[in-house]
Amino acid sequence: MQFENERHEASFGKLAAFCTEDKGFAPASGEAPGFVIRDGGTLIVVLALPWGETQSVYQLRALMVRDVPVGLKAAKWLLELNDTVVLGAFGWSDDSGLFFGYTVPADDLTEEALATSIAAVGMTARHYAPEIIDKFGGRLFFAE
């Protein structure tokens, strides 16, 4: 795994110490510097990423709904929903579909704060996924 700076490497080390197999985490696919955990019908991805030349962040994404028809009505509804969500935002990836994500600076982040952030991302995805599917179609990332 290639690290961009010392903090990036250190933040991955902290993440690796927290995201253990006994807690249900598995390594992210390929060379991605992070871990994944299944949460009901979603997959939560936690990555340690460089930010600028000397910093690092944790990017958390709950991959939640696949095959949502892309359209102006759905995009507008999700953008309006983003305005009401306290932490994070909904986004779209061609690879995985609709996700809910949150990025937090890695410096001085405690394990408790990381665990709370992971739980919040998962909870938000679980809360909104059924409504999104009802309104616009698609299916959960993992069929249950």
Side-chain angles (χ1 to χ4, degrees):
M1 191 167 305
Q2 189 76 19
F3 297 104
E4 298 293 320
N5 58 57
E6 289 179 13
R7 287 191 177 163
H8 182 210
E9 185 172 6
S11 65
F12 176 77
K14 187 186 334 183
L15 191 62
F18 177 78
C19 295
T20 58
E21 190 176 319
D22 64 312
K23 293 178 186 168
F25 288 91
S29 63
E31 290 293 312
F35 300 88
V36 298
I37 188 168
R38 187 170 173 172
D39 184 13
T42 67
L43 180 69
I44 299 176
V45 180
V46 185
L47 301 175
L49 299 174
W51 185 39
E53 293 183 22
T54 62
Q55 302 295 313
S56 183
V57 297
Y58 294 126
Q59 181 186 73
L60 296 81
R61 283 188 175 182
L63 310 181
M64 50 191 286
V65 181
R66 296 177 187 248
D67 304 325
V68 176
V70 178
L72 183 59
K73 185 176 178 184
K76 182 179 184 298
W77 186 84
L78 288 168
L79 285 172
E80 289 171 350
L81 185 58
N82 279 344
D83 191 41
T84 67
V85 178
V86 176
L87 293 176
F90 292 92
W92 177 264
S93 166
D94 284 337
D95 296 334
S96 56
L98 187 65
F99 65 85
F100 181 77
Y102 174 59
T103 302
V104 59
D107 289 351
D108 302 320
L109 188 71
T110 65
E111 282 191 5
E112 181 181 7
L114 179 59
T116 299
S117 297
I118 292 168
V121 166
M123 182 178 65
T124 302
R126 285 190 316 276
H127 176 79
Y128 285 105
E131 184 176 0
I132 291 165
I133 292 168
D134 285 347
K135 284 183 178 292
F136 306 108
R139 60 187 171 90
L140 288 175
F141 189 82
F142 287 116
E144 294 188 280

